[in-house]
Amino acid sequence: REDHHAEVMIRRASFNSTDGIADITGPLSRKLGLFYRANFYGRKAESFRDLAWNDNWLFNPSLTWRIRPGTTLSADAEFD
């Protein structure tokens, strides 16, 4: 994405669960054609069962380099 953009969502639900999502994107350097994006996801939840819970975390960064018109190099990663 060529402009800075950020979106955040937090949700509470049953069994004391909380979900959080963040998505940020924008240019690192328009002059060099470098752009970034990062997605974050987290969940912390209990259960109706004793000693059961659900904790998940995910981070997904990416970097794009527009070398010239018609040529793009992207690097993506996922950490869970």
Side-chain angles (χ1 to χ4, degrees), residues 5-7 22-26 36-40:
H5 179 78
E7 185 173 343
D23 183 1
I24 58 172
T25 186
Y36 72 92
R37 184 169 188 178
N39 295 297
F40 305 90

Side-chain angles (χ1 to χ4, degrees), residues 14-77:
S14 58
F15 303 109
N16 198 27
S17 68
T18 303
D19 294 312
I21 298 171
D23 183 1
I24 58 172
T25 186
L28 286 175
S29 170
R30 282 192 176 96
K31 182 178 178 182
L32 297 175
L34 292 174
F35 301 88
Y36 72 92
R37 184 169 188 178
N39 295 297
F40 305 90
Y41 169 78
R43 178 167 204 210
K44 186 165 182 66
E46 296 175 3
S47 174
F48 63 92
R49 295 185 178 109
D50 290 337
L51 302 175
W53 54 89
N54 183 356
D55 294 342
N56 294 308
W57 307 96
L58 179 69
F59 173 53
N60 180 244
S62 64
L63 183 64
T64 299
W65 179 25
R66 293 187 186 145
I67 300 167
R68 63 177 179 248
T71 305
T72 301
L73 178 65
S74 294
D76 301 306

